Amino acid sequence: MITSTLRNLYGWRWLAIPPVTGVAVMAMIIGALIVAPPEAIEGDVQRILYLHFPSILAAYGAFAVVFVASIVVLWRGDLRYDAVARGAASVGVLFTGLTLATGALWGKPVWGVYWTWDARLTSTLVLFLIYAAYLLARAMADELDEQAARFAAVFAILGAFDIPLIMFSVTWWRTLHPQPIVLRGLERPALPPEMLIVLLIAFLGISALAVWLGVLRTDTELLAKRTAVLRATIDRREGA
Amino acid sequence: MSPAVAVMAKDLRLAWRDRAGWASAGAFATIAVLTYSFAFDLATGDVRPLLPGVLWTTFLFAGIFAGGQSFARESEEGTFDALLLSPVSPTMIYVGKATANVLAMLAIEFAQLLLATILFGTSLVSPELLVIVFIGTVGAVSLTTLLSTMSASMRGRAMLLPVMALPLLVPLLIGAVRATAASLDLDAGTAPWTLLLGVFALWSTLLSVLLFPLAVER
């Protein structure tokens, strides 16, 4: 029942997701650039928040999908979920990278540096590296290699369980150290309502974009698997 | 004899007969320490603040290097498939292999500690530090053993293993370096960092034991 509903929903993906994404992303751009008021101290630079914050949330969502899909790969041995995990991982890496990049662009005018070894920055970078390694590991084996899919799934699960340890240890590592003075102005007051609404719209737009990209990547992976199967069949027939 | 002990004995016997593999890991560790001493000019001044980092990066790189190599041979010779076909639970195979790797790594690390003691004039063979090295080695090797099993059959494994292992080992590296620094009286109290190290070792051992059978199932 639930699976068939899900499958029906998945069948509608090309009709539903792109228009929603388009409208939401346009609304986000207009909201972030025109509607939202400039921040009192940071000025226009603060507008990068509307891209920065939703991006990391989308990345976390994508990594959660990788985790669940990886469990299904190990549990059922279903390679379609390997495609889902790969698709979600590429989206997660993309949006983590976007978070790091927008953070650096914001950091230069506000903190005075592009990068600082703050706990949150460092753990986000490690997160980026773990899932980039996942994509590399999976890319180095065939699409149809079930063993490689299992290995990648095990690695993804290891990575997911490592995240709390990394966050904890990196926080400890930094807080037992003197904090750089530039970081002190971080505690921002609660956002005024206009900013919050734009942020919500941005969150919607980025989420829709992430889902769309994830679905695109997953479909590409599934097609690549089918192509590999077809190629193997042709090779066998020609050999016979 | 328990199957885990048998696998461990087999691995250690192989490591002993074909000494080149582990010897090159040991040589690599020695050369790494020497490279660091040229790069940071460890011959002059107070080297002690740099030592924990130098030692642990060397241990981790040597461990990854040696672990990857030991499995590469197994997959070339088909030993690993034969092991999996035998009526032994994969958990036992994993425990045996990881124990053998931990023992071999500890030998290399002990030699490095002795060497660094001589080279840098700092006593590094204290009971406290040996406990820290032991816990850190268990934590790192349990994870690299699992990862090297997995990457053994992949293309470009030599590059892949460090890329996969090092980000996961960040908490271990932080804990080990800080605990070592504290045991050399460079930092306050070893206790919190040893605890972090212990938690990581427990985490990586448990998770690897649980995930290994799932990874090699076919």
Side-chain angles (χ1 to χ4, degrees):
Chain A
M1 178 62 196
I2 296 169
T3 7
S4 66
T5 317
L6 273 178
R7 197 165 300 146
N8 282 337
L9 271 179
Y10 196 70
W12 284 90
R13 65 196 181 280
W14 296 121
L15 281 176
I17 308 174
V20 171
T21 309
V23 171
V25 168
M26 285 309 287
M28 170 189 129
I29 293 172
I30 295 169
L33 291 182
I34 300 165
V35 180
E39 215 258 1
I41 302 162
E42 293 170 17
D44 284 335
V45 188
Q46 182 264 349
R47 295 180 195 277
I48 215 161
L49 174 83
Y50 303 116
L51 187 55
H52 181 75
F53 185 59
S55 292
I56 193 64
L57 290 184
Y60 283 144
F63 294 143
V65 172
V66 178
F67 179 64
V68 174
S70 296
I71 290 177
V72 179
V73 169
L74 289 181
W75 183 28
R76 294 262 186 86
D78 190 337
L79 278 185
R80 279 177 305 175
Y81 287 91
D82 173 54
V84 175
R86 277 177 92 169
S90 15
V91 171
V93 168
L94 174 73
F95 280 101
T96 317
L98 204 60
T99 306
L100 291 170
T102 49
L105 288 179
W106 176 86
K108 185 64 184 171
V110 178
W111 288 347
V113 282
Y114 286 114
W115 180 263
T116 169
W117 293 98
D118 165 67
R120 196 172 285 183
L121 273 66
T122 313
S123 47
T124 308
L125 179 65
V126 177
L127 194 68
F128 177 80
L129 289 175
I130 288 179
Y131 285 93
Y134 168 87
L135 286 179
L136 268 178
R138 193 61 195 87
M140 280 193 184
D142 281 355
E143 285 89 2
L144 296 174
D145 189 340
E146 203 191 321
Q147 200 71 53
R150 297 188 78 89
F151 291 165
V154 166
F155 182 71
I157 291 170
L158 269 177
F161 278 111
D162 207 10
I163 293 170
L165 277 175
I166 290 171
M167 289 188 164
F168 176 74
S169 65
V170 168
T171 309
W172 240 20
W173 173 61
R174 285 330 294 187
T175 41
L176 291 187
H177 234 243
Q179 287 283 346
I181 301 163
V182 271
L183 282 184
R184 286 213 186 130
L186 240 187
E187 284 182 23
R188 67 174 81 239
L191 287 176
E194 313 89 73
M195 286 187 175
L196 210 61
I197 288 169
V198 175
L199 194 62
L200 274 175
I201 293 171
F203 178 63
L204 223 112
I206 293 291
S207 308
L209 186 65
V211 170
W212 188 22
L213 289 175
V215 167
L216 264 174
R217 284 297 301 165
T218 304
D219 277 3
T220 317
E221 295 295 338
L222 287 171
L223 279 175
K225 279 187 207 300
R226 272 179 63 190
T227 321
V229 170
L230 285 174
R231 196 176 293 141
T233 319
I234 292 170
D235 284 351
R236 243 193 338 269
R237 293 235 174 111
E238 281 182 346
Chain B
M1 189 162 57
S2 138
V5 177
V7 171
M8 183 194 81
K10 176 217 107 194
D11 269 22
L12 286 177
R13 204 155 50 230
L14 275 180
W16 179 249
R17 280 191 197 144
D18 177 28
R19 283 174 287 266
W22 284 94
S24 59
F28 171 77
T30 310
I31 288 166
V33 170
L34 289 180
T35 311
Y36 278 126
S37 66
F38 292 126
F40 295 125
D41 203 1
L42 297 186
T44 58
D46 190 9
V47 297
R48 297 193 326 153
L50 289 174
L51 273 185
V54 166
L55 286 174
W56 278 102
T57 45
T58 305
F59 291 168
L60 284 191
F61 289 145
I64 289 170
F65 177 63
Q69 215 182 26
S70 78
F71 263 103
R73 193 166 300 119
E74 288 231 357
S75 75
E76 277 161 22
E77 309 266 338
T79 332
F80 194 60
D81 291 322
L83 261 182
L84 287 178
L85 281 175
S86 66
V88 174
S89 90
T91 312
M92 287 292 136
I93 298 175
Y94 170 78
V95 171
K97 296 198 81 65
T99 317
N101 284 348
V102 166
L103 290 177
M105 258 328 279
L106 283 176
I108 290 180
E109 287 165 348
F110 189 69
Q112 293 311 312
L113 287 178
L114 284 180
L115 181 74
T117 302
I118 297 166
L119 287 181
F120 304 120
T122 308
S123 173
L124 291 169
V125 195
S126 66
E128 197 183 19
L129 191 55
L130 289 181
V131 169
I132 293 168
V133 167
F134 176 75
I135 301 175
T137 308
V138 170
V141 171
S142 58
L143 204 68
T144 47
T145 304
L146 173 69
L147 291 178
S148 61
T149 324
M150 305 203 303
S151 61
S153 56
M154 289 183 183
R155 276 178 281 140
R157 60 178 168 240
M159 202 55 239
L160 202 55
L161 188 55
V163 170
M164 286 167 88
L166 288 173
L168 293 181
L169 289 174
V170 164
L172 179 123
L173 185 66
I174 292 175
V177 168
R178 284 309 190 78
T180 306
S183 86
L184 296 175
D185 291 329
L186 298 166
D187 213 336
T190 47
W193 301 110
T194 315
L195 186 71
L196 172 63
L197 203 55
V199 168
F200 188 90
L202 201 68
W203 171 88
S204 69
T205 313
L206 265 180
L207 216 56
S208 303
V209 166
L210 288 175
L211 287 174
F212 184 83
L214 290 172
V216 296
E217 188 183 290
R218 43 190 87 178

